[in-house]
């Protein structure tokens, strides 16, 4: 793969979508599991308060924690998106250069750049309109497909499969 260079902006909407994907859908069945636990907590709450089914303090604490967790996770995603937009990062151009051996990231106008080896990328996900490269649990590199073209998309997929192996996950058609 020759060095490929891309410049693009990450809108606050796209940033929000990545936040929700990372929080709820990054791992298969994670979103369904969270929804099922929340639904179970609602049922337990109704049984305990409306129907009068007696439950231990431990059971009550468990369903209360589960009822609170989902709204808190959603609020956290919303707050990170708000901070992202307020920081002005949604209007800054990003420059990403990719080679067979490294990824180089830079905000246009900033003198600093970051160069990563592929070994520093823990996992990657291909969605219908973007690639997401994770350097950690929440540290993500966003690569929109619309700046790559079809050939660039195919090359990127091949490089990710080659460099990450089982760390590459295709989620085409499952998100959005």
């Amino acid at each position: 793969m020759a060095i490929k260079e891309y410049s693009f902006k990450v809108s606050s909407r796209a940033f929000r979508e990545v936040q929700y994907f990372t929080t709820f859908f990054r791992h298969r069945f994670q979103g369904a599991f969270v929804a099922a636990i929340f639904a179970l907590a609602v049922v337990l709450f109704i049984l305990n308060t409306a129907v009068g089914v007696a439950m231990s303090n431990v059971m009550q604490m468990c369903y209360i924690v589960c009822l609170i967790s989902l709204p808190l996770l959603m609020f956290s995603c919303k707050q990170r998106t708000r901070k992202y937009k307020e920081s002005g990062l949604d209007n800054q151009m990003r420059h990403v250069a990719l080679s067979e051996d490294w990824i180089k990231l830079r905000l246009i106008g900033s003198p600093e750049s970051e160069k990563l080896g592929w070994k520093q990328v823990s996992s990657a996900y291909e969605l219908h309109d973007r690639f997401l490269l994770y350097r950690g649990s929440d540290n993500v590199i966003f690569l929109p497909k619309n700046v790559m073209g079809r050939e660039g998309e195919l090359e990127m997929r091949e490089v990710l499969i080659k460099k990450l192996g089982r760390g590459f996950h295709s989620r085409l058609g499952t998100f959005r």
Side-chain angles (χ1 to χ4, degrees), residues 124-135:
Y125 292 81
E126 179 181 9
L127 304 178
H128 82 285
D129 63 344
R130 63 191 75 143
F131 289 98
L132 302 175
L133 310 176
Y134 286 87
R135 296 186 285 176

Side-chain angles (χ1 to χ4, degrees), residues 65-79:
V65 167
C66 291
L67 285 174
I68 292 170
S69 297
L70 182 63
L72 283 176
L73 287 170
M74 294 174 76
F75 179 75
S76 173
C77 290
K78 191 171 187 144
Q79 284 298 98

Side-chain angles (χ1 to χ4, degrees), residues 96-136:
V96 175
L98 303 162
S99 83
E100 191 75 25
D101 302 316
W102 47 261
I103 305 165
K104 191 172 183 181
L105 313 160
R106 183 172 62 87
L107 284 174
I108 293 180
S110 171
E112 298 176 19
S113 65
E114 185 175 5
K115 192 173 185 178
L116 306 168
W118 283 106
K119 290 186 188 287
Q120 292 173 277
V121 177
S122 59
S123 62
Y125 292 81
E126 179 181 9
L127 304 178
H128 82 285
D129 63 344
R130 63 191 75 143
F131 289 98
L132 302 175
L133 310 176
Y134 286 87
R135 296 186 285 176

Side-chain angles (χ1 to χ4, degrees), residues 34-48:
V34 169
I37 294 298
F38 185 76
L40 178 62
V42 169
V43 168
L44 291 174
F45 173 74
I46 291 170
L47 287 173
N48 188 227

